[in-house]
Amino acid sequence: MTIGSQVPDFSLPASNGEKVSLSDFRGRKVVLFFYPKDMTPTCTEEACSFRDHYGALQEAGAVVIGISPDPLKSHAKFMDKHSLPYLLLSDEEHKVSEMFGVWQMKKMFGREYMGIIRSTFLIDENGKMTGEWRKVKVKGHVEAVLTGVLS
């Protein structure tokens, strides 16, 4: 998927107990952020940054959705502990992560494994990708996304 392309619809189980589809948000901008794991320091920092800018993103007409391979039970604890106001989707089989090209080989402490490369995508009201941030560094990231939503 590239900027300007139509994003295929998908459905995943969500933290609200329902199955949520991208098409549910047609007519609104969608900020879709992929993160590796609930409760880890960098993922918590990123999730809390989206929480702290949630009002501004909503005012700009955007819906915020987080996606990780964690199960819904883990998402519930993560959301509760950090008062996250947006949906988290569970991509345990990493089908959506693969669709966006963020499920990749990673290396940590000399060990190789498959995992999510922290990335954010901006999808317009018609389902077209209008922005992407790959291999995200958390500092200043949500501010950049907000600028993208406003432009």
Side-chain angles (χ1 to χ4, degrees):
M1 270 187 283
T2 56
I3 290 181
S5 67
Q6 192 71 27
V7 178
D9 196 23
F10 62 83
S11 298
L12 287 172
S15 51
N16 64 359
E18 297 175 12
K19 201 164 190 112
V20 169
S21 300
L22 181 61
S23 58
D24 295 343
F25 302 100
R26 259 313 129 71
R28 298 183 71 188
K29 293 177 182 172
V30 177
V31 172
L32 201 59
F33 75 98
F34 290 84
Y35 65 100
K37 190 153 183 52
D38 293 338
M39 301 294 193
T40 58
T42 307
C43 293
T44 298
E45 183 184 350
E46 180 182 29
C48 289
S49 187
F50 274 110
R51 175 200 64 204
D52 297 344
H53 290 84
Y54 184 67
L57 286 159
Q58 271 195 312
E59 272 180 43
V63 174
V64 177
I65 300 171
I67 298 180
S68 85
D70 294 301
L72 291 176
K73 194 172 178 181
S74 174
H75 282 344
K77 287 179 190 167
F78 191 45
M79 291 178 76
D80 191 46
K81 182 171 183 178
H82 298 288
S83 304
L84 304 180
Y86 45 81
L87 289 173
L88 295 180
L89 306 185
S90 179
D91 189 19
E92 289 186 83
E93 295 173 8
H94 32 84
K95 284 182 170 47
V96 176
S97 304
E98 287 176 20
M99 184 172 91
F100 278 85
V102 301
W103 185 258
Q104 298 178 17
M105 184 62 69
K106 296 172 80 171
K107 196 178 248 182
M108 188 187 297
F109 305 118
R111 197 179 121 245
E112 287 189 337
Y113 61 98
M114 294 300 287
I116 287 194
I117 304 296
R118 189 179 317 281
S119 304
T120 302
F121 300 91
L122 179 57
I123 301 164
D124 76 7
E125 297 85 347
N126 301 311
K128 281 199 166 110
M129 186 187 303
T130 57
E132 66 179 345
W133 295 263
R134 294 182 182 266
K135 297 182 180 174
V136 165
K137 301 287 182 238
V138 174
K139 191 169 172 51
H141 172 61
V142 176
E143 291 85 346
V145 171
L146 179 57
T147 299
V149 169
L150 291 167
S151 65

